[in-house]
Amino acid sequence: MCYNNVLPKLETHLVDHCNLNCKGCSHFSPLSSPAFADFNQFSKDITRLSELFKNINRFRILGGEPLLHPEIIKFISFARMKLPASNIRIVTNGILLPKMTPLFWETMADSKISIDITVYPKVPVRVGTIKALAEKYDIDLDINYPTSFRKIPINFNGDCNIKQSLDTCRGNFYSPFLRDGHIYLCAHMTMFQLFENAFDIIPPLNIKPVQGINIHENITGKEIINYTLKPQSCCGFCNWKERIFFPWDISKRKEDEWI
């Protein structure tokens, strides 16, 4: 598989926490204390990626709820400056969009940043107002209306076939995750430490973000792409054969929401 030094997709958090807190959130946001991305780290990482890759086809800025970051304008402006050809998208639940300042909308328009909104059942999102704002500022808008979540397929024994797990995962998703100068195979395993900390999970589970690749070392874009396609030991904790869905609801921060 060759991408000609183009990374197909990359995701990153602006915040880990959320203003909605969905039951069983795959990024474990209901279990997070307020946690904001640092702009200096972000700018260093994006600059480095712009040197490593000809392009990142799709760059998704999410969380948590990214609109909670007080410096979001600064982040999106810098991302566009360094990634001029990327399809950059803010992923949000939409609740805060009608309250965002004109400067936010003007920056989104000038930077050609798109918005992906997930509207959950019974959540008061002012979709009409958002559509009007997007039309006013000529911003690409995609709205999704899910009714259920898929439970994270955690295998506590960690003994799944790692190649089969990653092949199944990559057949459905390709979502490398950028965090603090490292790229990981996905956000799930990176953010699992929130679950461990909340419920005092002890080894042998112990899924920690230790298997990322440091983008600031002597490395090439091709090596990073190859890394995103290579199974890691953490893949043994993902049983992607398991398909359990549950109706969307607000989290009560209970362990059984995730296992």
Side-chain angles (χ1 to χ4, degrees):
M1 186 177 295
C2 178
Y3 294 109
N4 297 319
N5 209 36
V6 172
L7 187 63
K9 184 180 176 184
L10 186 65
E11 297 184 342
T12 196
H13 275 192
L14 283 197
V15 304
D16 292 343
H17 58 296
C18 190
N19 59 342
L20 184 53
N21 297 320
C22 301
K23 176 182 177 181
C25 171
S26 63
H27 289 210
F28 304 97
S29 293
L31 306 178
S32 175
S33 300
F36 300 89
D38 175 70
F39 179 74
N40 289 334
Q41 181 70 59
F42 179 85
S43 59
K44 179 182 176 183
D45 293 347
I46 299 304
T47 298
R48 175 63 172 153
L49 290 169
S50 71
E51 297 165 352
L52 286 166
F53 295 104
K54 181 179 178 181
N55 190 31
I56 298 174
N57 283 344
R58 176 170 289 215
F59 183 51
R60 300 202 333 146
I61 299 173
L62 39 85
E65 173 49 57
L67 300 184
L68 290 171
H69 202 298
E71 295 185 303
I72 186 171
I73 292 173
K74 194 174 177 180
F75 281 80
I76 61 178
S77 297
F78 190 85
R80 175 52 74 205
M81 179 177 68
K82 289 295 182 180
L83 304 173
S86 294
N87 178 2
I88 303 177
R89 311 189 74 87
I90 296 288
V91 182
T92 172
N93 59 38
I95 295 172
L96 295 177
L97 278 173
K99 301 177 183 178
M100 301 303 286
T101 65
L103 179 59
F104 166 81
W105 288 99
E106 290 163 5
T107 304
M108 292 284 288
D110 292 342
S111 300
K112 293 182 171 54
I113 308 290
S114 302
I115 301 176
D116 291 334
I117 303 176
T118 306
V119 180
Y120 297 104
K122 303 178 184 178
V123 177
V125 178
R126 295 162 57 191
V127 174
T129 299
I130 294 168
K131 286 181 176 179
L133 284 165
E135 183 176 355
K136 176 182 177 180
Y137 290 96
D138 192 24
I139 293 172
D140 176 53
L141 182 67
D142 184 73
I143 304 177
N144 184 34
Y145 295 88
T147 58
S148 63
F149 268 12
R150 181 180 177 181
K151 184 161 285 195
I152 302 173
I154 300 172
N155 166 23
F156 275 69
N157 294 322
D159 58 1
C160 288
N161 181 294
I162 62 172
K163 184 180 185 305
Q164 186 177 34
S165 290
L166 186 65
D167 286 349
T168 305
C169 177
R170 288 295 181 253
N172 293 283
F173 312 100
Y174 180 86
S175 301
F177 187 72
L178 172 69
R179 189 172 183 85
D180 295 334
H182 292 71
I183 288 179
Y184 301 91
L185 292 185
C186 67
H188 306 321
M189 293 298 101
T190 309
M191 302 308 299
F192 193 81
Q193 60 186 312
L194 292 172
F195 183 85
E196 289 184 308
N197 294 338
F199 301 111
D200 295 323
I201 301 298
I202 59 175
L205 188 58
N206 198 30
I207 306 174
K208 295 286 180 63
V210 296
Q211 296 171 309
I213 189 166
N214 189 335
I215 65 174
H216 297 287
E217 291 183 345
N218 184 19
I219 196 168
T220 67
K222 182 179 180 180
E223 288 173 322
I224 293 174
I225 290 171
N226 288 340
Y227 163 82
T228 69
L229 301 171
K230 183 179 179 181
Q232 304 295 322
S233 61
C234 63
C235 297
F237 292 93
C238 277
N239 181 11
W240 286 99
K241 294 180 181 179
E242 189 175 81
R243 299 182 64 84
I244 300 175
F245 293 86
F246 57 91
W248 181 88
D249 202 352
I250 295 292
S251 174
K252 295 182 174 63
R253 293 174 54 91
K254 300 293 186 182
E255 188 174 345
D256 63 4
E257 294 177 19
W258 288 273
I259 62 173

